[in-house]
Amino acid sequence: MILSTTPTLEGKTIREYRGIVVGEAILGANVFKDLFAGIRDIIGGRSGAYEKELARAREIAFEELKERAQALGANAVVGIDMDYEVVGQNGSMLMVSISGTAVVI
């Protein structure tokens, strides 16, 4: 499965458009990770806990996107866009949404 943020793939011809596909992941942030992240933010350090959760959510969303594209018979997804949001009560959840166009090349 080829994944690209560009609308075309250099050297490849898109033979068929199969439709828009979306992958989403919403993960809860652990209370202790939140506390530690807040302390690290105050002293100017990076928040490893949030970075790991963000990477995990992105991986889940990409896997879901690929599965949905394959279910449509696609072998690539072009025009990929990623959105990140904090949702839930007091911003306690992390959401990653990835969308694109499933195509056959």
Side-chain angles (χ1 to χ4, degrees), residues 83-98:
D83 291 314
Y84 302 90
E85 296 289 333
V86 178
V87 296
Q89 188 176 27
N90 299 319
S92 61
M93 306 289 278
L94 174 65
M95 179 180 77
V96 177
S97 177
I98 302 175

Side-chain angles (χ1 to χ4, degrees), residues 5-63:
T5 58
T6 60
T8 60
L9 298 170
E10 189 174 340
K12 306 278 187 192
T13 300
I14 295 175
R15 295 184 294 140
E16 204 174 324
Y17 290 86
R18 294 294 176 105
I20 295 171
V21 288
V22 176
E24 300 156 325
I26 300 177
L27 301 176
N30 179 303
V31 172
F32 297 109
K33 290 180 184 178
D34 284 350
L35 177 62
F36 183 67
I39 292 169
R40 298 273 298 185
D41 288 342
I42 291 170
I43 60 173
R46 291 175 62 175
S47 174
Y50 274 122
E51 289 174 359
K52 285 181 184 175
E53 286 298 304
L54 183 60
R56 184 168 151 237
R58 193 172 46 245
E59 288 171 15
I60 291 168
F62 264 116
E63 282 305 312

Side-chain angles (χ1 to χ4, degrees), residues 1 21 60-73:
M1 179 71 59
V21 288
I60 291 168
F62 264 116
E63 282 305 312
E64 190 174 289
L65 179 90
K66 287 191 270 187
E67 288 172 9
R68 290 182 174 167
Q70 287 172 339
L72 293 176

